Amino acid sequence: MPQLSESIGVSAPSGVPQSVVDWVASIAELTTPNEIHWCDGSVAERDQLYEEMVDKGTFVRLNQDIRPGSYLARSAPSDVARVESRTFICSERPEDAGPTNNWADPTEMRTTLQGVFAGAMRGRTMYVIPFSMGPLGGPISKLGIEITDSPYVVVNMRMMTRMGTPALERINAGEYWVPAVHSVGYPLIDENGNSRPDVAWPCNEDKYICQFPETREIWSYGSGYGGNALLGKKSYALRIASVLAREQDWLAEHMLILRLTRESDGREFHVTAAFPSACGKTNLAMLRPTIPGWKVETIGDDIAWMRPGPDGRLYAINPESGFFGVAPGTSETTNPTALHALDHDTIFTNVALTDDGDVWWEGLTKQPPDHLIDWQGNDWTPDSGRPAAHPNSRFTVYAGQAESISPDWEAPQGVPVDAILFGGRRSHTVPLVSEAYDWNHGVFVGATVSSRQTAAAEGAVGELRRDPFAMLPFCGYNMADYWAHWLKMGELLGKEAPRIFQVNWFRRDSDGHFLWPGFGDNSRVIEWALRRVAGELPAVDAISGRLPAPGDLNIDGLDLPAEHLAMLFAVEPDEWDEEADLTEEYFALFGDRVPAELNAQLQALRDRIAEARSREGSGDLVDA
Ligand code: OXD
Ligand code: MN
């Protein structure tokens, strides 16, 4: 009897294990593509796909004199962001997905997926993309294979992951890998054999982004955009990896990674930082310090995998090899490093096109051009009354193109983490910076991160949402169990655990103006944190944590009135009372799965509030 794989012509490269061939064959049998292409990751393969996409209208080739090697894609207006409402954790038991995830019964979801994937690739090429998250062969790295019918996904995955033959060779050698299946859900031939023409951005109104934590599989249907489709990123490197990390005593986190070198003594520090989506994370990852004496290098801009090393310290790698950054707001003033990285070999999605074949987005220049083609392909002028680029428009670029990239960004063993920052977008309550009292307090701080909703996901922009560890849409299991895992990691790391800080660049005065300049000046805050790590500075105990002692935050050369500085560090018992009540309400969502230690941390917070009040009270008496 012919093997299944032979009967549908999988024709795998030599050396591919039968189990892999059988899996690819099973997906081909379900989705019935016209042909199968095993991606080797070569430049020739990429260029051929670019060519094909230009011919089909998926890509606009940008002016090659201005932006060599660069292209613009315009998505369907209905497919512009991650769709959290259609993202599912399909664990056997709903309580293992937890109240912050959409749970779906795995058996029912499999039936649904078998239905929507049946014939989904008719008339298309099915691409098999072997990839490595993290440097090939590194001790923290992991492999995967994404099957997709989208050439756009292939060329993006080529930048975002180490994709192609070297990854496949490791899979051939028997290393662990995670399967991921993706279809845009727009077959070119119907079940009766009738053809329909392709469109520039095929997708489907019906979308499913599914993670199966027990079997470690990813299935994504209906969207071609970003994290919905580039399955190495949020689906694998966060949702599935968080499950693996919990089991294997490491951390898969939504964090950037920075190296800061102090020029006076050459000491290197490494910082990871979690911020909810589009909170200026890419800008911080490419920080240009405004204070002298520091060199800052980028290691990662979005995701960190961290594992205790042989010396007991926590080591971080960036599992990705590219940046999938938000374009609007990126400019010569906000992030010159990112801007220059985009000079060539960049894929832009949903930005505007200029008359000379270049790109533009809101914030790139103060004065918009007189005429553009907007992200939907229509004529645009400054008085059109709508954005020219979509607010979640993106650039995809190889990380090595950033001039700030660290020479060690691909160090397979990672870099030792000294400090972890948690940030959110809060207009009051949370001071510019405070240091957690200890690891467990830091976990409490991470668990209570909140921010205003941005355009990276669908939903009401501007709403305040709790976003614990900036992992709300990315944790592959019950968030309360994830907190418990962090507490356990603190025990494992003991005195080698990184120090934890809470930052808030977004505090405002009563007129709604930002109090802190942000951007390069955030280096001042990080300097304070690192000097704390180095044991060089005292601190002042406060409700939120430890604050800089007066005069210790370097504000030289900043035009920051004393009352603004005071407002940045104001920690008001009334506001924190409300914060504590909101935290209690939030924890109640998770019932008795909340680790006892976090409830104890909440009580400790309430105690600090009461203590501050009693001090205030006695102060009032004295004043009176
Ligand atoms: C991202 C996100 O795209 O967090 O990185 O939404
Ligand atoms: Mn992100």
Side-chain angles (χ1 to χ4, degrees):
M1 219 174 68
Q3 277 194 331
L4 172 70
S5 43
E6 282 166 27
S7 66
I8 57 165
V10 167
S11 63
S14 69
V16 174
Q18 193 59 40
S19 57
V20 175
V21 175
D22 287 347
W23 174 68
V24 172
S26 71
I27 305 302
E29 187 161 275
L30 173 65
T31 59
T32 59
N34 262 10
E35 54 180 310
I36 299 177
H37 175 84
W38 292 71
C39 298
D40 61 17
S42 65
V43 169
E45 176 184 80
R46 176 199 72 184
D47 288 347
Q48 188 179 339
L49 291 173
Y50 281 173
E51 210 56 55
E52 285 172 20
M53 282 189 279
V54 169
D55 288 348
K56 283 207 324 208
T58 300
F59 266 4
V60 174
R61 180 177 279 115
L62 295 172
N63 184 326
Q64 297 298 294
D65 295 326
I66 308 177
R67 278 197 209 261
S70 302
Y71 296 82
L72 165 64
R74 297 189 190 109
S75 79
S78 62
D79 194 23
V80 293
R82 287 185 290 100
V83 280
E84 289 176 12
S85 58
R86 305 299 301 159
T87 299
F88 300 94
I89 300 297
C90 308
S91 51
E92 294 293 336
R93 301 184 313 171
E95 59 271 30
D96 290 335
T100 54
N101 279 315
N102 299 311
W103 175 78
D105 177 87
T107 308
E108 279 171 28
M109 185 54 87
R110 276 182 209 289
T111 307
T112 304
L113 291 173
Q114 290 289 313
V116 295
F117 272 93
M121 297 188 188
R122 272 193 298 258
R124 293 192 183 280
T125 299
M126 178 174 119
Y127 301 92
V128 182
I129 310 173
F131 62 94
S132 173
M133 299 312 292
L136 272 151
I140 313 181
S141 303
K142 295 212 176 292
L143 299 160
I145 302 179
E146 176 166 351
I147 288 179
T148 180
D149 54 8
S150 163
Y152 171 89
V153 166
V154 177
V155 294
N156 276 273
M157 283 290 283
R158 186 176 182 278
M159 288 192 191
M160 297 303 296
T161 72
R162 283 88 176 171
M163 179 269 257
T165 304
L168 185 60
E169 280 166 357
R170 303 202 77 92
I171 290 168
N172 294 351
E175 280 184 38
Y176 178 78
W177 60 281
V178 165
V181 185
H182 170 252
S183 172
V184 294
Y186 195 95
L188 298 175
I189 301 169
D190 72 15
E191 59 270 39
N192 304 317
N194 304 313
S195 298
R196 63 170 163 177
D198 206 351
V199 290
W201 186 275
C203 62
N204 197 297
E205 287 308 304
D206 209 13
K207 294 178 174 49
Y208 296 91
I209 321 296
C210 302
Q211 287 71 205
F212 293 81
E214 281 102 359
T215 50
R216 286 91 203 258
E217 288 162 79
I218 303 161
W219 288 77
S220 167
Y221 177 84
S223 168
Y225 203 85
N228 299 332
L230 312 178
L231 300 181
K233 196 174 181 59
K234 307 301 191 182
S235 286
Y236 185 172
L238 291 175
R239 298 193 190 103
I240 294 296
S242 62
V243 171
L244 297 172
R246 178 191 182 196
E247 210 177 83
Q248 302 164 359
D249 290 341
W250 53 284
L251 296 165
E253 300 301 325
H254 190 206
M255 291 180 178
L256 63 88
I257 312 170
L258 278 181
R259 166 181 290 173
L260 296 101
T261 309
R262 182 158 62 182
E263 281 157 4
S264 58
D265 59 359
R267 180 162 172 183
E268 282 177 356
F269 299 86
H270 296 98
V271 173
T272 65
F275 289 84
S277 298
C279 251
K281 217 166 126 189
T282 306
N283 295 340
L284 186 60
M286 297 174 194
L287 177 75
R288 290 201 178 181
T290 51
I291 48 173
W294 292 92
K295 183 169 85 189
V296 183
E297 292 165 3
T298 309
I299 294 176
D301 79 323
D302 194 38
I303 299 177
W305 283 1
M306 302 188 283
R307 213 182 240 274
D311 60 359
R313 299 184 69 189
L314 188 64
Y315 283 77
I317 65 162
N318 172 8
E320 301 188 281
S321 59
F323 305 130
F324 182 66
V326 175
T330 308
S331 74
E332 198 62 61
T333 32
T334 60
N335 193 339
T337 306
L339 196 62
H340 300 165
L342 312 180
D343 281 351
H344 63 96
D345 294 290
T346 302
I347 299 169
F348 296 93
T349 306
N350 287 345
V351 302
L353 180 68
T354 66
D355 290 347
D356 57 358
D358 197 10
V359 287
W360 191 85
W361 50 78
E362 277 65 25
L364 176 62
T365 53
K366 279 215 176 77
Q367 242 351 78
D370 291 338
H371 176 260
L372 292 166
I373 303 295
D374 73 7
W375 68 275
Q376 297 193 65
N378 301 316
D379 284 308
W380 183 95
T381 57
D383 52 19
S384 290
R386 58 174 199 277
H390 188 277
N392 190 39
S393 54
R394 298 281 179 149
F395 53 78
T396 318
V397 69
Y398 172 58
Q401 281 184 211
E403 61 208 16
S404 63
I405 202 76
S406 170
D408 283 335
W409 79 282
E410 301 198 272
Q413 74 283 6
V415 294
V417 181
D418 296 284
I420 297 174
L421 313 186
F422 291 117
R425 190 179 270 269
R426 297 295 303 266
S427 46
H428 48 79
T429 313
V430 180
L432 177 63
V433 58
S434 56
E435 180 186 345
Y437 285 106
D438 54 25
W439 179 271
N440 287 358
H441 178 221
V443 174
F444 176 78
V445 165
T448 54
V449 166
S450 57
S451 198
R452 305 259 160 213
Q453 178 90 3
T454 67
E458 93 279 35
V461 172
E463 225 168 70
L464 187 73
R465 76 166 182 178
R466 292 274 150 193
D467 193 349
F469 290 77
M471 283 287 278
L472 182 68
F474 305 127
C475 185
Y477 60 99
N478 189 311
M479 185 62 79
D481 297 348
Y482 166 89
W483 299 335
H485 176 57
W486 263 79
L487 292 167
K488 178 183 167 203
M489 289 302 293
E491 277 169 35
L492 283 178
L493 290 162
K495 63 177 189 21
E496 301 294 348
R499 301 271 275 273
I500 299 179
F501 298 83
Q502 179 171 36
V503 298
N504 177 23
W505 320 135
F506 301 99
R507 201 145 176 179
R508 296 175 192 244
D509 67 14
S510 48
D511 297 330
H513 301 123
F514 287 117
L515 289 162
W516 181 247
F519 301 105
D521 286 312
N522 293 336
S523 57
R524 299 167 186 274
V525 171
I526 297 179
E527 177 186 61
W528 178 77
L530 296 181
R531 294 196 64 198
R532 283 288 302 160
V533 168
E536 295 166 358
L537 292 176
V540 179
D541 288 3
I543 293 173
S544 59
R546 299 199 163 112
L547 304 181
D552 278 353
L553 182 76
N554 177 355
I555 52 167
D556 288 355
L558 260 194
D559 180 21
L560 188 69
E563 69 267 26
H564 284 191
L565 187 65
M567 278 193 263
L568 279 164
F569 284 104
V571 181
E572 304 291 349
D574 287 351
E575 289 182 346
W576 279 88
D577 240 353
E578 195 187 340
E579 191 69 16
D581 290 346
L582 289 172
T583 299
E584 188 169 329
E585 241 171 64
Y586 188 60
F587 281 0
L589 251 183
F590 301 89
D592 57 12
R593 275 175 104 123
V594 176
E597 174 59 26
L598 290 194
N599 286 320
Q601 287 291 336
L602 176 58
Q603 187 51 51
L605 172 64
R606 290 202 188 280
D607 294 346
R608 290 195 297 273
I609 298 168
E611 212 179 281
R613 276 237 169 79
S614 68
R615 272 202 309 268
E616 230 178 37
S618 54
D620 284 351
L621 284 180
V622 173
D623 287 348

